[in-house]
Amino acid sequence: MSIHYPLSVRLVEVGPRDGLQNEKQPLPAAVKIELVQRLQAAGLREIEVTSYVSPKWVPQMADNHQVMSGIQRRAGVRYSVLTPNLKGFEAALADRPDEIVVFGAASEAFSQKNINCSIAESMERFAPVVQAALAAGIQVRGAMSCTVGCPYEGEIAPQRVEMLARLMKGIGVQRVDVADTIGVGTPLKVQRAIEATLKVYELDQVSGHFHDTYGQALSNTLAALQLGVWNFQSSVAGLGGCPYAKGATGNVATEDLVYLLHGMGIETGIDLEALVDAGAFISAALGLPTGSRVARALLARQS
């Protein structure tokens, strides 16, 4: 049986926000701005730039206004930010994001550990944020975490994912990310989580967000592609994780994902060499080796 893969894929680059928020090494705003500039120059058309959360909890994002105001915006690029509450949204509003991101978990235990409330209570918190954004003409994306597994509850049933998707749809969230937050997913489990989400959202409104804890991120991407999913999230140099999810290592590296997609003949609009350079830049700034296997191979070939 032949499988018809999407002809093109759109990537949401989450490195500047989801990637850097979990890195211990603090970076000056100028480095973050340069990273965004390099990413958009490489062809990324959706970039999650920063978050408007209390610097007490996420000090790495305390320079959100400086970063957002320092970016030289390009036409056709969508700049998104995380806003967990109305206070954060009001602070973000002055910086003119194209999209805000709210988040919820398919796991009650994770919701309590992450934001100290139940899943239902989290939706009540986010509802006024979503409505305020929509009223201001700002798009809204919902990050659905722990859709496959949870560090506290273990495996998550697809029915829980569907429930979370319905709650997000009910408060006005326009599109959602199906996230394997701790990277325990395997292809069939990921497909079940996506299929549960597709009972609520259209295919064009669903993206995959996979972590590479057990080396399954690219396999899970392939499984999502087989369902027709054409929106994915990734982090340059494989940066990041989740500070509230024990054992959650980096996101899938954008370089690795682009290499896979190009090898399958799927268009991304991204210049892989420029992307590798962007990854090398931020890795050097952090004093870390790149987390991308593709980047390591290409850089070794150049030396």
Side-chain angles (χ1 to χ4, degrees):
M1 183 180 71
S2 61
I3 297 173
H4 299 286
Y5 292 105
L7 296 177
S8 64
V9 156
R10 192 171 179 92
L11 299 184
V12 181
E13 172 57 53
V14 301
R17 200 283 301 175
D18 192 29
L20 293 181
Q21 76 168 8
N22 204 39
E23 298 296 335
K24 295 179 181 179
Q25 173 70 30
L27 291 175
V31 172
K32 298 176 184 178
I33 293 167
E34 176 65 18
L35 174 61
V36 174
Q37 301 296 124
R38 286 172 179 252
L39 290 169
Q40 60 187 13
L44 272 303
R45 291 296 172 260
E46 291 200 36
I47 302 174
E48 194 172 288
V49 179
T50 187
S51 62
Y52 291 77
V53 297
S54 169
K56 175 183 176 182
W57 299 111
V58 188
Q60 297 90 335
M61 300 288 110
D63 55 3
N64 44 39
H65 172 70
Q66 191 177 354
V67 173
M68 281 294 285
S69 59
I71 295 168
Q72 293 181 0
R73 300 194 180 202
R74 291 194 176 200
V77 178
R78 179 184 294 177
Y79 303 92
S80 60
V81 300
L82 185 77
T83 58
N85 50 43
L86 270 176
K87 183 178 180 181
F89 172 73
E90 289 163 359
L93 198 54
D95 293 330
R96 302 178 297 108
D98 299 306
E99 180 180 65
I100 65 157
V101 183
V102 296
F103 52 89
S107 156
E108 285 289 355
F110 187 81
S111 185
Q112 291 287 353
K113 291 277 188 179
N114 194 10
I115 52 178
N116 295 312
C117 68
S118 69
I119 297 170
E121 288 169 340
S122 73
M123 292 301 111
E124 292 175 10
R125 284 187 194 178
F126 295 138
V129 180
V130 173
Q131 293 309 309
L134 295 175
I138 298 171
Q139 296 174 311
V140 181
R141 174 160 53 87
M144 303 200 306
S145 58
C146 294
T147 61
V148 178
C150 168
Y152 312 108
E153 292 186 20
E155 192 165 329
I156 299 297
Q159 292 82 357
R160 300 279 292 280
V161 180
E162 180 184 349
M163 177 202 72
L164 177 59
R166 291 193 185 283
L167 288 171
M168 288 206 165
K169 187 81 168 181
I171 63 171
V173 171
Q174 295 167 303
R175 60 176 185 155
V176 291
D177 316 326
V178 179
D180 179 18
T181 308
I182 58 172
V184 296
T186 48
L188 289 180
K189 291 179 181 179
V190 164
Q191 285 185 335
R192 292 185 190 118
I194 291 171
E195 287 167 345
T197 306
L198 290 173
K199 292 180 180 180
V200 183
Y201 282 93
E202 297 295 325
L203 185 62
D204 291 352
Q205 300 167 334
V206 175
S207 64
H209 180 129
F210 307 125
H211 286 233
D212 210 29
T213 314
Y214 290 89
Q216 298 297 298
L218 292 180
S219 298
N220 292 337
T221 298
L222 188 62
L225 286 166
Q226 290 171 352
L227 294 179
V229 174
W230 61 277
N231 290 286
F232 293 93
Q233 298 178 356
S234 56
S235 179
V236 66
L239 296 174
C242 176
Y244 299 101
K246 184 179 180 181
T249 54
N251 296 290
V252 63
T254 309
E255 300 95 319
D256 296 358
L257 186 51
V258 169
Y259 184 83
L260 169 72
L261 295 169
H262 288 183
M264 295 175 67
I266 298 174
E267 294 291 332
T268 66
I270 295 169
D271 180 334
L272 181 56
E273 288 189 8
L275 179 62
V276 168
D277 288 343
F281 164 78
I282 194 62
S283 297
L286 290 165
L288 298 171
T290 177
S292 163
R293 285 166 288 188
V294 165
R296 290 197 298 270
L298 291 176
L299 291 170
R301 187 184 299 173
Q302 294 172 8
S303 61

